């Protein structure tokens, strides 16, 4: 009972903890609060996110900073068409020990806690699938040996919406594995002014403190799933997902049940991140955009009308 | 979780209190309105109090049962938007027993301290009820002071008269103007009751009650003259039985009848 009370008190402090994490990240990253929040949501859900932005918007810096604040091992994979799966997951190398030759597994960059897979659509489908398998299974298999990946494991893949020549767009089935598709917009004028002030000075960008340990992050991931949700809010989430399948005047292919799971989980994580112990209807509405935008395929009519996935989701939420 | 269940029982208790207060106020209003209306009629005091009391009691029980039927968690949520989603979530996840639910319960418990019967009450509605009740009480006192009796008031609209209790039978058919004066049935009641038929009736009169002792009258006149006073007519006036008197009376009666007809 005493332990339970102590745990409850710790939960009360969660909002403050997350607020401190955000503050610490903002020491390096200017603005982009929504993006940071969505990345943290994906981490809390123990899921992966697809980041879509133009080059030079600070994705790598952001992910690096987040990994430092969360005390996580970070690695970056720059995807290119000649990148092989073994370059990511690792390979067996021959090693000689006391005159005896033996194979030793050389771990690839996938063996980290946070992976930034830059421009994932530039890798070949073979390499993409190797990465996506690791994302899904949280383990890699080389030959006949399976290597589990250390928890927490989180992949943040990026893709460039322009310059699509020579790319291998992710198939729908693989895109579906990303919990969120996060859009990074250009910074606001004032934010950009702050960015140039920070990064053009002589002194280096301030170092950030790590505020959470791996263990506490795993515990937070467990807590996220425990956040209670009311039945009518759950129904609302399912209705929104179901509408993507029935709104044939706008959508050609709707979202899968994985989207329903993702929407509820993301809403739970958002609630926890905001220090709430319950999911609100607004959480569902807010998370519907990043959860559904990459899971629906607009029909010709909607595209001809110049509608984006977000416009369609907005319409679905209105009805 | 038992603690959450007990919290919801507490919430229901609060809602029950609110239902009671609302029904009670409404019943008071019904009582006062009924009392006000009934006080216009000349009815025994016991009924004036008893009838509105019965109305109010019946209304109270009906209103209370309807309020209890309508009593839903939504009412509580609408009255306390700050706990709306929290309350609903706790209700739907009562069976779960984990840290998050315990934390939710703790927070809910804290917030529920601020949620009392007062939050559930519609203050505007209560104010309207109280003001109306006070106004009605003043009206009742005023009406009692000037002793208005609807039955004594000459209502110009004849059709309204049937509304007066006890007058329905008389004024049920047609207006007063339509009734001919000679419709004796209306004025004197059922004609058959008054019909005597051909049966012989024996009337016995006691002569001692009608016999006039003229001797005594004369003596009285004499006595008065002896005393020098004015002669007073003690006995019956012989003129009263004269034909002239009868004619005058008949003429007066005819005039009276004519006047009533003219009205």
């Amino acid at each position: 009972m005493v332990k339970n009370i102590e745990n409850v008190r710790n939960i009360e402090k969660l909002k403050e903890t997350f607020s401190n994490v955000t503050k610490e990240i903002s020491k390096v990253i200017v603005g982009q609060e929504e993006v940071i929040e969505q990345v943290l949501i994906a981490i809390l859900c123990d899921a992966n996110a697809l980041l879509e932005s133009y080059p030079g918007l600070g994705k790598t810096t952001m992910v690096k900073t987040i990994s430092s604040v969360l005390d996580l091992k970070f690695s970056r994979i720059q995807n290119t068409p000649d990148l092989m799966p073994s370059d990511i997951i690792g390979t067996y190398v021959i090693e000689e020990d006391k005159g005896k030759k033996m194979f030793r597994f050389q771990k690839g960059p996938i063996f980290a806690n946070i992976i930034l897979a830059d421009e994932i659509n530039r890798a070949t489908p073979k390499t993409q699938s190797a990465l996506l398998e690791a994302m899904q299974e949280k383990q890699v298999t080389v030959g006949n040996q399976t290597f589990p990946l250390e928890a927490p494991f989180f992949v943040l893949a990026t893709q460039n919406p322009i310059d699509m020549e020579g790319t291998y767009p992710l198939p729908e089935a693989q895109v579906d594995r990303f919990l969120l598709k996060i859009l990074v917009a250009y910074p606001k004028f004032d934010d950009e002014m702050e960015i140039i002030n920070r990064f053009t000075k002589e002194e280096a960008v301030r170092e950030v403190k790590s505020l959470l340990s791996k263990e506490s992050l795993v515990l937070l991931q467990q807590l996220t799933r425990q956040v209670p949700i009311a039945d009518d809010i759950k129904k609302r989430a399912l209705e929104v997902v179901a509408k993507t399948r029935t709104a044939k005047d706008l959508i050609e292919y709707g979202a899968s049940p994985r989207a329903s799971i993702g929407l509820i989980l993301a809403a739970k994580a958002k609630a926890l991140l905001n220090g709430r112990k319950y999911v609100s209807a607004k959480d569902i509405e807010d998370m519907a955009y990043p959860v559904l935008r990459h899971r629906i395929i607009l029909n010709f009519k909607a595209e001809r009308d110049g509608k984006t996935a977000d416009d369609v989701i907005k319409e679905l939420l209105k009805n | 979780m038992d603690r959450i269940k007990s919290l919801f029982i507490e919430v229901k208790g609060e809602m029950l209190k609110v239902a009671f207060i609302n029904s009670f106020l409404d019943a008071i209003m019904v009582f006062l309105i009924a009392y006000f209306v009934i006080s216009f009629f000349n009815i025994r005091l016991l009924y004036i109090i008893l009838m509105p009391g019965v109305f109010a009691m019946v209304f109270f029980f009906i209103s209370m049962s309807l309020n209890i039927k309508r009593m839903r968690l939504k009412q509580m949520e609408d009255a306390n938007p700050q706990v709306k989603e929290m309350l609903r979530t706790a209700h739907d996840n009562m069976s779960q027993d984990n840290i998050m639910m315990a934390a939710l319960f703790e927070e809910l418990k804290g917030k529920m301290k601020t949620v009392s019967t007062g939050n559930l009450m519609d203050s505007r509605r209560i104010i309207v009820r109280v003001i109306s009740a006070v106004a009605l009480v003043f009206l009742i006192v005023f009406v009692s002071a000037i002793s208005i009796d609807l039955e004594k008031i000459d209502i110009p609209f004849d059709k309204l008269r049937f509304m007066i209790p006890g007058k329905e039978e008389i004024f049920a058919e047609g207006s007063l103007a339509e009734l001919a004066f000679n419709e004796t049935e209306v004025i004197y009641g059922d004609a058959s009751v008054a019909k005597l038929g051909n049966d012989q009736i024996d009337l016995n009169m006691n002569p001692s009650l009608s016999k006039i002792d003229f001797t005594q009258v004369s003596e009285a006149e004499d006595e008065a003259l002896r005393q020098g006073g004015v002669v007073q007519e003690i006995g019956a006036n012989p003129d009263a039985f004269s034909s002239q008197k009868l004619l005058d009376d008949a003429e007066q009666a005819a005039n009276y009848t004519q006047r009533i007809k003219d009205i």
Side-chain angles (χ1 to χ4, degrees):
Chain A
M1 187 66 187
V2 175
K3 195 183 170 188
N4 204 24
I5 290 167
E6 197 57 42
N7 286 336
V8 168
R9 278 183 192 153
N10 288 338
I11 284 169
E12 295 299 329
K13 288 178 189 166
L14 272 180
K15 192 180 180 181
E16 197 187 326
T17 307
F18 286 125
S19 172
N20 290 338
V21 166
T22 314
K23 269 184 203 164
E24 200 63 25
I25 294 167
S26 67
K27 280 182 184 173
V28 178
I29 305 297
V30 182
Q32 308 286 13
E33 291 87 1
E34 203 181 337
V35 176
I36 293 168
E37 189 193 57
Q38 288 179 5
V39 170
L40 290 174
I41 285 169
I43 293 172
L44 285 177
C45 292
D46 193 17
N48 309 287
L50 182 64
L51 222 94
E52 194 172 275
S53 81
Y54 297 112
L57 291 181
K59 297 184 292 282
T60 310
T61 314
M62 185 195 293
V63 179
K64 244 182 172 175
T65 311
I66 290 172
S67 63
S68 299
V69 173
L70 301 181
D71 193 22
L72 299 173
K73 193 181 167 191
F74 167 76
S75 68
R76 180 173 180 266
I77 301 165
Q78 180 61 54
N79 289 275
T80 53
D82 58 352
L83 187 79
M84 299 302 289
S86 57
D87 296 334
I88 297 172
I89 56 177
T91 188
Y92 279 103
V93 291
I94 299 170
E95 201 174 61
E96 195 174 342
D97 186 26
K98 294 171 188 173
K100 194 181 174 186
K101 286 180 180 173
M102 56 189 293
F103 280 107
R104 188 179 63 81
F105 183 67
Q106 179 69 47
K107 287 180 179 175
I110 199 98
F111 287 88
N113 299 114
I114 290 190
I115 313 290
L116 178 69
D118 237 345
E119 292 189 275
I120 193 170
N121 52 345
R122 295 215 173 268
T124 57
K126 191 179 177 182
T127 312
Q128 283 175 5
S129 59
L131 186 67
L132 294 166
E133 193 187 339
M135 278 163 49
Q136 191 72 19
E137 308 295 330
K138 311 273 181 196
Q139 61 179 34
V140 288
T141 306
V142 182
N144 57 359
Q145 208 170 351
T146 302
F147 299 93
L149 296 166
E150 190 190 5
F153 179 76
F154 169 67
V155 174
L156 190 77
T158 72
Q159 62 178 21
N160 193 339
I162 53 164
D163 190 17
M164 299 293 279
E165 204 177 326
T167 61
Y168 302 91
L170 290 171
E172 299 312 320
Q174 293 193 346
V175 171
D176 195 37
R177 294 182 191 189
F178 289 98
L179 175 74
L180 308 176
K181 183 179 179 180
I182 304 164
L183 301 181
V184 186
Y186 283 116
K188 292 169 196 164
F189 187 84
D190 291 342
D191 289 345
E192 199 165 343
M193 182 67 85
E194 179 62 26
I195 290 167
I196 59 165
N197 283 339
R198 273 191 206 180
F199 290 89
T200 55
K201 277 180 186 171
E202 200 179 332
E203 59 185 88
V205 176
R206 277 176 285 179
E207 286 294 313
V208 289
K209 287 186 284 183
S210 77
L211 296 174
L212 281 173
S213 63
K214 282 179 200 173
E215 293 73 28
S216 47
L217 193 62
V218 172
L219 190 73
L220 285 172
Q221 286 177 341
Q222 289 168 2
L223 270 182
T224 301
R225 288 173 180 268
Q226 287 182 11
V227 174
I229 178 168
D231 290 346
D232 53 348
I233 294 174
K234 228 183 276 182
K235 272 182 202 162
R236 167 81 176 137
L238 291 185
E239 277 167 12
V240 171
V241 175
K243 273 181 198 168
T244 64
R245 298 165 203 157
T246 53
K248 292 290 176 195
D249 54 326
L250 295 165
I251 300 166
E252 196 165 349
Y253 294 107
S256 66
R258 196 185 270 159
S260 309
I261 298 167
L263 184 53
I264 300 286
L265 256 180
K268 284 184 172 192
K270 187 176 165 63
L272 192 71
L273 210 57
N274 291 326
R276 266 185 285 109
K277 290 112 195 167
Y278 60 93
V279 177
S280 77
K282 197 174 177 300
D283 293 331
I284 296 288
E285 291 193 1
D286 288 347
M287 295 318 297
Y289 295 94
V291 170
L292 296 176
R293 63 165 67 107
H294 57 296
R295 290 184 161 108
I296 55 172
I297 299 174
L298 302 187
N299 64 13
F300 174 72
K301 186 179 167 284
E303 283 190 354
R304 189 192 60 196
D305 293 344
K307 285 182 177 164
T308 62
D310 282 11
D311 295 332
V312 171
I313 294 165
K314 198 175 181 180
E315 277 183 41
L316 296 180
L317 288 171
K318 266 185 200 168
N319 299 325
Chain B
M1 277 173 103
D2 290 340
R3 288 190 301 170
I4 291 182
K5 274 181 190 166
S6 65
L7 187 75
F8 277 97
I9 291 167
E10 218 173 281
V11 168
K12 278 189 178 172
E14 290 291 319
M15 287 163 80
L16 207 66
K17 269 190 222 170
V18 172
F20 177 83
I21 292 167
N22 279 336
S23 302
F24 186 72
L25 280 173
D26 288 345
I28 287 175
M29 286 302 296
V30 168
F31 175 83
L32 289 172
I33 291 167
Y35 185 92
F36 179 69
V37 172
I38 289 170
S39 66
F40 281 108
F41 301 102
N42 190 15
I43 298 171
R44 285 174 65 188
L45 185 68
L46 180 69
Y47 293 119
I48 288 180
I49 295 168
L50 206 64
M51 281 166 71
V54 171
F55 285 148
M57 286 285 275
V58 170
F59 181 86
F60 174 77
F61 286 114
I62 292 170
S63 170
M64 190 71 186
S65 63
L66 284 175
N67 279 336
I68 289 169
K69 268 187 188 174
R70 279 197 297 240
M71 212 165 69
R72 294 278 181 275
L73 197 60
K74 197 178 175 304
Q75 256 181 293
M76 187 70 172
E77 290 171 350
D78 291 344
N80 301 281
Q82 74 275 22
V83 293
K84 187 177 179 177
E85 283 172 331
M86 206 186 286
L87 204 60
R88 182 59 63 100
T89 307
H91 181 263
D92 291 344
N93 296 278
M94 253 190 267
S95 56
Q96 283 184 32
D97 195 1
N98 54 42
I99 302 166
M100 286 309 290
M101 273 306 285
L104 177 67
F105 172 74
E106 286 299 319
E107 193 180 337
L108 192 60
K109 205 170 72 174
K111 292 221 167 157
M112 289 305 283
K113 280 177 190 165
T114 60
V115 175
S116 62
T117 314
N119 295 58
L120 288 167
M121 299 288 289
D122 185 354
S123 55
R124 204 173 146 191
R125 191 178 164 187
I126 292 169
I127 290 167
V128 168
R129 293 270 185 294
V130 171
I131 291 171
S132 308
V134 171
L136 271 170
V137 167
F138 274 111
L139 268 173
I140 290 165
V141 170
F142 176 73
V143 167
S144 305
I146 60 171
S147 301
I148 295 173
D149 185 355
L150 271 188
E151 289 181 66
K152 288 178 182 170
I153 294 171
D154 187 18
I155 297 170
F157 306 104
D158 299 326
K159 283 182 181 174
L160 290 176
R161 289 190 74 106
F162 75 90
M163 291 168 73
I164 302 170
K167 305 291 181 194
E168 299 90 341
E169 288 169 17
I170 296 173
F171 298 102
E173 294 172 13
S175 64
L176 185 66
E178 286 165 5
L179 294 171
F181 186 74
N182 58 358
E183 282 179 354
T184 52
E185 199 169 297
V186 175
I187 299 163
Y188 300 115
D190 192 352
S192 63
V193 175
K195 196 176 179 184
L196 298 172
N198 298 322
D199 296 335
Q200 189 179 340
I201 299 169
D202 293 322
L203 292 171
N204 296 316
M205 295 179 74
N206 189 348
S208 64
L209 289 174
S210 57
K211 193 179 177 183
I212 301 164
D213 191 349
F214 291 100
T215 323
Q216 291 292 319
V217 173
S218 304
E219 280 177 4
E221 257 181 34
D222 292 342
E223 185 64 23
L225 287 168
R226 271 198 299 274
Q227 287 172 3
V230 181
V231 179
Q232 286 182 327
E233 191 177 293
I234 296 170
N237 187 355
D239 289 343
F241 301 100
S242 70
S243 57
Q244 187 54 47
K245 177 72 177 168
L246 284 169
L247 284 170
D248 289 343
D249 285 349
E251 193 187 350
Q252 198 177 356
N255 290 338
Y256 179 69
T257 308
Q258 189 56 49
R259 276 215 304 278
I260 290 172
K261 272 184 179 178
D262 291 341
I263 292 164

